[in-house]
Amino acid sequence: MRGLPPAAWAYVCTVVTLGTACIALSSFGGIDWTTLAVLAVLSVVCESVPALLSSANARVSLSYSAGLASVVLLGPVGAALVGASAVVTGRRDVALVKRLFNSAQFALSGYLAGVVYQAAGGTVGKPTDGSFPGIIPPYVAAVITYVAVNLGLVAVILILTKKAPMWGFRWAPVGQLTVGQLAYGMFGLLIAAPWRVVGPFSAVLVLLPMFIARWALEQTRRQREAQAATIAALCQAVETKDYYTRGHSERVSRGATMIAREIGMRPERVGAVRYAGMLHDVGKLGVPTRVLQKSGALSEEEFAAIQLHPMRGLEIVRDIGFLDEALAGIMHHHERMDGTGYPMGLAGSEIPEFARVISVADAFDSMTSTRSYRPAMPNEAGIAELRRCAGTHFDPAVVEAFIAAIERNGWTRPDPVVPPEGEETAQQDHDDPSAPLRVAGEGVRP
Ligand SMILES: [Fe+2]
């Protein structure tokens, strides 16, 4: 228990004591030990391979199904014993203290769900034809109790160990977790219902398809991780071209995501805009480094090379299937509302929404980051510049959404950058609206 705060230590001891007490002080008369052993093994197997949800690293396990089947088949004490079996798990990454806590909280959840099931009129034992539909209301009450007790006990330990805030929970992952647990809990009745006829085989009938579905979901999750690694590698390749822009893609991605949420984009589009933010400057790989690092005014050809980088970016990532709408954001992130941007000179609503979003986050991060020709601007100055350019360069609605998101969530600025001795760096930044590129004989260009 080393490393746990004292309050968390006391809480774990209390939960373990209560879990032990509800088993030790109960009578074991009439328990079907064979059914109990089967459900306990089933619970341990399920607990050993929990499904990772897509958000917040939350895990939900099929052991809920076994726990709630035991509420019907065995009653409160049997459900507590099945829950307590979580102390044995095949997962080597789970420390003993966590096993003890999980075991105790599952025992308490099972016990209390069993008590509520009986209090609501549920009959303990193998259901018969006559059990339905009367068994459903008490069973639903048991599922809700099981999930509520489980979530409540876990939430307290997360708060005490500072893994979750006391206030300001992110409700989306909590909601996803709760729905997953309630759904897995309902499968418990599907396991219990045919038990009289097919015995333990009912668990196989119900859980085998579930395991296959989860295996498919796991493959999807791994595929997403591989996609994220691919994008991170491309970003790193881009950012090695200029010491000053390290971390820029990640911050633009974060800013674009904040805007996307602020303007109410659907979650799939928020995910796509995140990718677009990461990859918006991937086309710089196709711009000669000597052009990016040139200190004097650019020639027409050099300026054209920089203006081509959105198209180069599109060429590089066009065949990556999962990018979809992100491609439009990459290609058009330097268009301007007044039509003087590049590469196509689109204006106003002709500019794809992703591009208008990335454009604002891109410019703000550039201005609030150190560049070779100026120190980082304060956030307030960056915001003032965005507002000054709203309507001509930026979409005013996107600018205001970004400012509102920053005011609510804050903005993590990069640390001041001092390149190592001898490091070649860019002397102009095409993303910086406060210092447009200089072109020989023509002054500055947008
Ligand atoms: Fe760019």
Side-chain angles (χ1 to χ4, degrees):
M1 292 191 187
R2 223 171 346 148
L4 273 185
W9 186 90
Y11 175 70
V12 168
C13 287
T14 304
V15 171
V16 171
T17 305
L18 288 173
T20 310
C22 77
I23 293 171
L25 300 177
S26 299
S27 159
F28 298 97
I31 283 200
D32 178 347
W33 292 101
T34 306
T35 299
L36 191 147
V38 170
L39 288 173
V41 169
L42 187 65
S43 176
V44 169
V45 170
C46 293
E47 188 60 22
S48 301
V49 281
L52 193 63
L53 294 179
S54 59
S55 66
N57 281 347
R59 283 173 183 270
V60 63
S61 142
L62 279 169
S63 66
Y64 277 71
S65 311
L68 278 146
S70 64
V71 165
V72 175
L73 294 168
L74 302 166
V77 187
L81 284 168
V82 169
S85 66
V87 75
V88 185
T89 169
R91 289 175 57 203
R92 291 184 191 160
D93 58 329
V94 181
L96 179 61
V97 63
K98 196 168 173 185
R99 291 176 188 221
L100 285 170
F101 177 78
N102 277 341
S103 161
Q105 60 98 355
F106 277 131
L108 282 171
S109 304
Y111 185 82
L112 292 172
V115 169
V116 168
Y117 174 73
Q118 285 184 306
T123 304
V124 172
K126 294 164 190 162
T128 62
D129 289 348
S131 302
F132 289 87
I135 193 175
I136 293 173
Y139 185 76
V140 170
V143 172
I144 293 170
T145 305
Y146 194 98
V147 172
V149 173
N150 174 258
L151 279 181
L153 291 171
V154 172
V156 173
I157 192 67
L158 291 177
I159 289 168
L160 291 175
T161 52
K162 304 206 182 321
K163 289 180 181 163
M166 185 166 319
W167 309 110
F169 268 115
R170 286 179 57 216
W171 288 106
V174 173
Q176 192 186 20
L177 187 64
T178 307
V179 169
Q181 290 177 334
L182 289 171
Y184 280 180
M186 291 306 294
F187 278 109
L189 188 56
L190 290 182
I191 295 173
W195 199 281
R196 180 178 294 276
V197 179
V198 293
F201 191 64
S202 69
V204 178
L205 284 178
V206 173
L207 293 183
L208 188 61
M210 295 285 292
F211 269 112
I212 292 171
R214 279 192 20 185
W215 175 82
L217 281 174
E218 184 67 13
Q219 301 312 305
T220 306
R221 189 179 69 80
R222 288 195 179 158
Q223 194 178 16
R224 283 211 190 102
E225 283 179 359
Q227 291 169 352
T230 305
I231 287 174
L234 280 168
C235 285
Q236 202 168 9
V238 173
E239 293 180 359
T240 51
K241 285 208 157 201
D242 180 8
Y243 199 87
Y244 281 102
T245 59
R246 295 192 180 173
H248 172 68
S249 305
E250 176 67 43
R251 291 191 298 276
V252 171
S253 173
R254 188 156 22 91
T257 305
M258 285 164 66
I259 297 170
R261 290 203 176 109
E262 189 69 29
I263 60 180
M265 276 191 194
R266 296 189 314 274
E268 318 86 77
R269 294 188 78 215
V270 173
V273 94
R274 190 167 65 81
Y275 284 150
M278 294 286 282
L279 292 174
H280 72 282
D281 264 347
V282 69
K284 277 166 69 174
L285 287 170
V287 180
T289 307
R290 65 174 170 75
V291 175
L292 294 172
Q293 295 181 343
K294 186 170 182 179
S295 57
L298 301 171
S299 68
E300 278 295 337
E301 294 72 35
E302 290 164 342
F303 184 60
I306 286 187
Q307 283 195 313
L308 263 181
H309 83 270
M311 298 297 288
R312 293 259 181 269
L314 185 69
E315 284 165 16
I316 291 170
V317 296
R318 183 167 44 200
D319 292 332
I320 303 181
F322 63 85
L323 289 177
D324 298 326
E325 201 178 352
L327 296 176
I330 294 166
M331 181 172 167
H332 295 290
H333 73 277
H334 285 295
E335 306 285 2
R336 293 170 48 119
M337 293 297 280
D338 59 10
T340 60
Y342 58 89
M344 306 284 285
L346 302 182
S349 59
E350 292 173 343
I351 305 170
E353 188 178 29
F354 273 29
R356 282 178 273 141
V357 166
I358 290 165
S359 166
V360 169
D362 190 20
F364 184 77
D365 182 67
S366 168
M367 292 187 287
T368 54
S369 303
T370 311
R371 291 290 177 263
S372 58
Y373 50 90
R374 57 149 175 78
M377 286 186 194
N379 285 359
E380 297 70 27
I383 286 172
E385 185 67 14
L386 289 181
R387 282 202 165 119
R388 186 182 71 76
C389 300
T392 52
H393 189 156
F394 305 116
D395 180 340
V398 174
V399 168
E400 290 310 316
F402 186 45
I403 294 168
I406 290 178
E407 282 170 357
R408 191 168 46 256
N409 305 314
W411 178 255
T412 307
R413 295 164 60 89
D415 293 330
V417 174
V418 181
E421 195 73 25
E423 175 90 23
E424 299 273 354
T425 59
Q427 305 299 307
Q428 303 189 55
D429 180 5
H430 73 284
D431 292 332
D432 184 353
S434 68
L437 297 175
R438 300 185 302 281
V439 181
E442 296 200 24
V444 297
R445 289 281 188 93

